[in-house]
Amino acid sequence: MKVILSGNEAIARGAYEAGVAVATAYPGTPSTEILENMATYEGVYAEWSPNEKVALEVATGAAIGGRRALAAMKHVGVNVAADPLFTVSYTGIKGGLVIVTADDPEMHSSQNEQDNRNYAKFAKVPMLEPADSQEAKDYIKLAFELSERFDTPVFVRTTTRISHSKSIVELSEPKQRPATSALEKQPDKYVMVPAHARRRHPLVEQRIKDLEAFAEEFPENRVELQDLSVGIIASGTCYQYAREAFPGYSFLKLGMVYPLPKKKIKEFARQVKKLYAFEELDPFFEEQVKALGIEIIGKEVFPSCGEFDPGTAEQGISGAAGVEKKGAALPYLPPRPPTMCPGCPHRGLFYVLNKMNVFVAGDIGCYTLACLPPLKAVDTCICMGASIGHAMGLDKALGSEAHGRVVAVIGDSTFLHSGITGLLDVAYNRGACTVIILDNWTTAMTGRQDHPGTGMTIREEKTTKVDYVKLVKALGIKHVKKVDPFDLKKLNKVLNKELNRPEPSVIITDSPCVLYRRVEKGAQRPLLYVESSECIGCKACLQLGCPALEWVTLPVKESAALKKKRGEAFVNPTLCTGCELCSQLCKKGAIRKKDGDN
Amino acid sequence: METTDRVQNILMVGVGGQGVILASEIISEVMMRAGHDVKKSEVHGMAQRGGSVSSHVRFGPKVYSPLIKKGDADVLFSFELLESVRYLDFLRSDALIIVNNQKVLPPSVTLGVDSYPARLPEIMRERFSRVEIVDALDIAKQAGNVRALNVAFLGAFSRHFAVDENLWKEVISSMLTPKLVDVNIKAFMLGREKMNS
């Protein structure tokens, strides 16, 4: 049967068809839908792990037990999982172990655009890279076979344009796998004490040589000889772009991006006149081809930053000029960056933090958007869980200068991912930091996935739920306060008190994401409106940056007559959720609830 | 527009939450069932929080790239006025523009820092000869549910392609929850007819 699938859907389907037993992930764009789809298949154990390191460890355990296992993560998630990765490369596995890394060239939803092909070389683990959804499905199955044949974890790398593009896929039935699982003790293989690891390392080096030999025969490393004046080495979506731009040129399409088929590359280079490496981000192929003593053109004509498209191939290879703008006289188009939703429980907190003019050590989640105007209340964002360490470092380095002026903000899912150890440091090493856990009951940014604090599994089964107050106290934090983030006065009071405390403290803002699906219906709040005759146009409410609040400019004469400052606020009823943050800011009481129940 | 053996490039743009993605899913499914190779691409995650959204849909005998090259889109199918102008660079000079006559204010405009640009339809008409402006909200209202806006707008789009009407209806019915099917089919047909009048 033919269906249209995204790369992520195809990966899940491929793993299912390959008989995967255990699939794990922490959500992260562009990888999230892999596990969401895995959980829809019968007979697969799927979990949201607290972080990528745990995800890989659980998958590794399953593979040591002889079952097939998959761990999926975004590119930066591999950084978190890197510790087990480098050593499971030594131990190998019994059942197939596949790690999906979903890279994000262009940083559509990421903090950097690292090229994870480097991890394959660094950890000495083979890597496949599909170029569309059909290949995504096929390569997952190949990856499991390679993993078992060569006793190694195998990477499958996607990029955003593979994970989130859809194309046609032919489905097959899942394969029944013979039961090979068993608790089998093999300490010399799985206990990496130095004496054992020293014996494993040469096996890893030999494995890479064996894989190199395999790469020469691997049919997915495909030579397409056509016009021999130009040859292009490419993989993944880059192959598609170049093929689109130059359908007639010759190609070496690499399905396995590490290790490379050196003989095949030499042979291809001999056949074509001019050789290009067309690859996004790092010169990964280019450098290895150059090391073979072969002349190849790469980063001197193609960018190292951002994602490509067919135009990039044209510009780099035939020097085609970029597209001319259609008429120079386009008006200024106001940008449309992503924003926090109307009714978001984070908005009020960042409004208060902005007014307090404190330094906000930030973290990864929707709330990072509070760095934008008018809230402008996030001052760092580097990686998952980092906010607490940043606040601690500032506190220790600056002492009295930082005291009472630094807070860390971290979402519930991010705190459970990698914030707990940071907070442990604050408690243990007596930091005078205030840490705010923004508990919106879900992993909001990636599309509202469950986590250990939601009380639900990936399959929506009830499970145990973290008690943040008890957890934080157990770490050694004495002062913990829960607060409703829609009560601005209370928020202000609690923040002032905790910031000035010469001891560590935690504030938990407790209110569900406005898109949270488990809030009971009927809890609909009355919407707000601006009583036009009483709005003086002071713009105080607009400082919330709520998309439901609009500024309406009035003609000068009219404003003067109405004693307004050139305009008035307006609540867009199609966007308002009735959260009542804005009405708390209106000194004139001009923002009111509809239905007369003011 | 007759569907030729050349790959057709449809650039869909709008604002997060307008239903651009669902509409692009429907178009892709229809074109696959009509016998074409299909690819489509868009970004998820942070980019979707009320931000500018685009979806590239390509179909034809064999599609390689999931992305449309700048200057190569045959159709701009835009759910919002300002967003259409933002993507004009992507269009061929003979491109067709189908635009929903709706303004969604960007944050700097709601804050009163910038103003929403004026004369957007004229700007498009000065540069492109085929610009169709559709009041999709009005059509959806006539059909009985404003939330059927994207499918009403899809109706206006559908008449430009030589695809059986029943195929569109079949796919729409299969992709929506049963209780929303009737109103959406009604909206689709109103949108499709509107363009004929």
Side-chain angles (χ1 to χ4, degrees):
Chain A
M1 195 175 85
K2 277 186 175 179
V3 292
I4 299 184
L5 296 182
S6 69
N8 284 348
E9 290 166 334
I11 285 168
R13 177 73 198 189
Y16 168 68
E17 289 179 7
V20 74
V22 169
T24 60
Y26 178 80
T29 313
S31 71
T32 311
E33 300 82 4
I34 297 170
L35 251 282
E36 287 182 326
N37 280 279
M38 276 306 359
T40 65
Y41 291 107
E42 289 295 320
V44 180
Y45 169 76
E47 72 166 40
W48 288 132
S49 311
N51 65 33
E52 294 86 352
K53 178 175 182 287
V54 175
L56 180 54
E57 287 155 353
V58 171
T60 300
I64 288 172
R67 305 299 299 274
R68 287 188 166 178
L70 174 141
M73 53 202 73
K74 67 181 295 173
H75 59 332
V76 288
V78 180
N79 302 338
V80 179
D83 201 359
L85 167 70
F86 281 78
T87 305
V88 73
S89 171
Y90 277 32
T91 65
I93 39 70
K94 187 169 182 215
L97 175 61
V98 174
I99 305 159
V100 181
T101 167
D103 294 10
D104 189 17
E106 195 70 34
M107 297 169 273
H108 296 287
S109 194
S110 301
Q111 66 271 37
N112 77 29
E113 53 181 351
Q114 66 188 48
D115 185 335
N116 275 11
R117 292 179 300 170
N118 294 300
Y119 266 117
K121 190 159 183 278
F122 195 5
K124 302 176 195 288
V125 166
M127 178 180 274
L128 306 183
E129 184 173 19
D132 59 24
S133 297
Q134 180 67 55
E135 287 190 0
K137 195 192 79 155
D138 295 344
Y139 283 18
I140 287 289
K141 295 160 101 170
L142 287 170
F144 279 115
E145 285 166 22
L146 281 182
S147 173
E148 286 160 6
R149 178 167 162 195
F150 290 94
D151 191 9
T152 177
V154 175
F155 267 122
V156 173
R157 179 202 189 220
T158 69
T159 57
T160 298
R161 296 301 179 182
I162 295 299
S163 280
H164 287 170
S165 290
K166 291 200 167 188
S167 57
I168 299 174
V169 177
E170 183 76 44
L171 302 184
S172 349
E173 285 311 304
K175 189 171 123 189
Q176 292 297 322
R177 298 192 62 249
T180 54
S181 48
L183 280 178
E184 192 185 345
K185 297 195 184 210
Q186 281 182 278
D188 51 341
K189 178 164 161 55
Y190 295 121
V191 183
M192 285 302 96
V193 292
H196 294 168
R198 278 182 211 118
R199 287 203 293 271
R200 294 296 306 179
H201 187 185
L203 299 178
V204 173
E205 299 300 329
Q206 183 56 46
R207 184 179 72 204
I208 282 296
K209 287 199 180 103
D210 295 345
L211 280 158
E212 268 177 21
F214 169 82
E216 301 291 351
E217 308 306 322
F218 186 46
E220 296 301 319
N221 289 335
R222 194 169 69 224
V223 177
E224 299 169 358
L225 289 181
Q226 304 182 91
D227 176 354
L228 296 176
S229 64
V230 172
I232 300 167
I233 299 178
S235 65
T237 191
C238 290
Y239 163 77
Q240 308 284 13
Y241 300 149
R243 192 63 217 261
E244 177 88 31
F246 298 105
Y249 284 159
S250 296
F251 284 86
L252 171 54
K253 194 268 190 196
L254 293 171
M256 186 189 274
V257 297
Y258 187 78
L260 292 181
K262 291 176 183 163
K263 281 185 210 150
K264 213 175 237 182
I265 290 171
K266 281 181 187 164
E267 179 60 23
F268 183 66
R270 228 188 336 263
Q271 285 167 308
V272 299
K273 228 180 210 163
K274 213 171 178 185
L275 187 62
Y276 289 91
F278 185 63
E279 50 189 336
E280 285 171 333
L281 305 175
D282 293 347
F284 187 74
F285 300 148
E286 183 187 341
E287 284 178 355
Q288 293 182 74
V289 172
K290 280 182 172 161
L292 294 173
I294 297 170
E295 230 176 274
I296 189 164
I297 306 165
K299 292 299 166 189
E300 60 206 90
V301 295
F302 305 120
S304 296
C305 305
E307 68 177 356
F308 287 2
D309 66 17
T312 321
E314 280 181 4
Q315 282 163 41
I317 294 174
S318 47
V323 176
E324 274 180 62
K325 298 235 171 187
K326 299 270 190 309
L330 282 182
Y332 168 72
L333 301 173
R336 200 186 297 274
T339 52
M340 288 192 282
C341 306
C344 176
H346 300 324
R347 181 170 281 108
L349 172 70
F350 287 96
Y351 173 84
V352 174
L353 291 173
N354 170 302
K355 291 294 161 205
M356 294 175 83
N357 194 24
V358 288
F359 189 92
V360 181
D363 226 298
I364 307 254
C366 295
Y367 48 93
T368 320
L369 295 170
C371 70
L372 300 173
L375 294 170
K376 290 199 283 186
V378 171
D379 299 301
T380 67
C381 168
I382 291 184
C383 70
M384 293 285 288
S387 57
I388 302 176
H390 294 170
M392 177 71 169
L394 284 161
D395 176 67
K396 290 296 180 188
L398 304 182
S400 60
E401 196 190 328
H403 185 63
R405 296 201 52 228
V406 178
V407 296
V409 294
I410 184 166
D412 47 344
S413 192
T414 309
F415 176 67
L416 296 174
H417 175 283
S418 49
I420 301 170
T421 41
L423 190 58
L424 188 60
D425 182 47
V426 172
Y428 171 55
N429 286 312
R430 294 170 294 182
C433 307
T434 302
V435 174
I436 309 172
I437 300 173
L438 286 64
D439 182 12
N440 64 355
W441 309 6
T442 189
T443 316
M445 180 50 110
T446 44
R448 303 180 302 286
Q449 289 76 25
D450 282 295
H451 62 64
T454 68
M456 291 282 186
T457 70
I458 191 170
R459 289 187 190 268
E460 305 230 7
E461 297 147 337
K462 274 204 166 165
T463 182
T464 177
K465 185 175 172 175
V466 166
D467 182 328
Y468 295 103
V469 175
K470 279 189 185 159
L471 170 64
V472 165
K473 287 199 166 164
L475 294 176
I477 305 286
K478 286 189 204 126
H479 310 285
V480 189
K481 193 102 193 160
K482 266 198 189 190
V483 56
D484 172 5
F486 287 102
D487 185 343
L488 294 181
K489 257 188 202 149
K490 182 83 181 290
L491 204 52
N492 213 345
K493 201 173 137 198
V494 170
L495 267 166
N496 268 316
K497 185 168 173 196
E498 298 307 329
L499 266 165
N500 288 310
R501 204 187 276 283
E503 283 179 80
S505 62
V506 167
I507 300 169
I508 301 168
T509 60
D510 183 24
S511 187
C513 171
V514 68
L515 303 173
Y516 186 74
R517 61 189 180 280
R518 297 192 189 106
V519 171
E520 291 161 38
K521 292 258 160 83
Q524 193 99 28
R525 297 168 293 201
L527 306 185
L528 303 174
Y529 73 100
V530 176
E531 182 56 57
S532 175
S533 61
E534 289 176 39
C535 173
I536 56 164
C538 71
K539 291 190 178 180
C541 56
L542 293 177
Q543 296 315 304
L544 285 166
C546 175
L549 278 164
E550 297 175 7
W551 177 250
V552 183
T553 312
L554 296 175
V556 177
K557 267 189 188 166
E558 197 180 324
S559 332
L562 294 167
K563 294 191 178 163
K564 286 180 197 286
K565 295 173 191 163
R566 302 206 318 270
E568 63 184 31
F570 168 72
V571 176
N572 183 335
T574 63
L575 294 175
C576 179
T577 66
C579 79
E580 293 183 52
L581 279 181
C582 56
S583 54
Q584 293 174 59
L585 297 181
C586 184
K587 292 195 176 71
K588 297 287 167 186
I591 305 181
R592 297 174 187 172
K593 284 189 219 173
K594 274 189 178 166
D595 302 321
D597 51 358
N598 189 16
Chain B
M1 183 175 303
E2 278 306 305
T3 310
T4 62
D5 58 355
R6 194 174 65 77
V7 169
Q8 296 289 305
N9 297 319
I10 316 296
L11 181 65
M12 302 178 59
V13 305
V15 178
Q18 279 192 308
V20 177
I21 306 297
L22 176 66
S24 75
E25 304 268 321
I26 294 172
I27 295 173
S28 306
E29 184 73 21
V30 164
M31 293 307 169
M32 179 186 75
R33 293 196 197 180
H36 298 287
D37 188 19
V38 180
K39 280 190 181 163
K40 78 158 192 138
S41 188
E42 66 252 343
V43 295
H44 305 188
M46 184 181 248
Q48 274 189 327
R49 294 272 174 273
S52 171
V53 171
S54 71
S55 178
H56 298 224
V57 181
R58 311 189 68 224
F59 59 90
K62 171 72 187 165
V63 181
Y64 289 102
S65 169
L67 288 182
I68 301 168
K69 191 180 71 173
K70 274 195 179 172
D72 218 18
D74 299 282
V75 181
L76 176 65
F77 185 37
S78 170
F79 285 58
E80 204 271 348
L81 277 169
L82 191 160
E83 292 309 308
S84 6
V85 177
R86 203 190 295 284
Y87 289 89
L88 291 183
D89 275 1
F90 270 90
L91 306 192
R92 299 166 67 91
S93 53
D94 61 348
L96 165 68
I97 298 177
I98 310 171
V99 55
N100 178 26
N101 189 18
Q102 189 183 354
K103 293 178 185 175
V104 180
L105 305 186
S108 60
V109 175
T110 58
L111 279 172
V113 176
D114 291 324
S115 54
Y116 194 92
R119 294 185 65 252
L120 294 175
E122 290 80 2
I123 285 167
M124 286 184 267
R125 288 200 165 114
E126 282 158 17
R127 288 162 177 80
F128 295 90
S129 57
R130 295 187 298 155
V131 180
E132 286 180 4
I133 298 178
V134 179
D135 194 337
L137 184 65
D138 186 56
I139 301 170
K141 273 183 192 158
Q142 284 177 44
N145 189 343
V146 292
R147 305 198 64 175
L149 180 147
N150 54 350
V151 177
F153 194 35
L154 198 57
F157 172 86
S158 73
R159 85 182 259 278
H160 293 283
F161 295 90
V163 172
D164 184 11
E165 183 175 298
N166 289 319
L167 188 50
W168 286 102
K169 288 186 186 169
E170 196 181 299
V171 171
I172 292 167
S173 307
S174 72
M175 292 180 92
L176 294 169
T177 47
K179 62 174 184 179
L180 291 174
V181 167
D182 286 349
V183 67
N184 275 283
I185 293 286
K186 196 175 170 193
F188 177 81
M189 289 310 294
L190 278 172
R192 193 172 164 91
E193 285 154 19
K194 210 68 169 184
M195 297 310 305
N196 285 321
S197 61

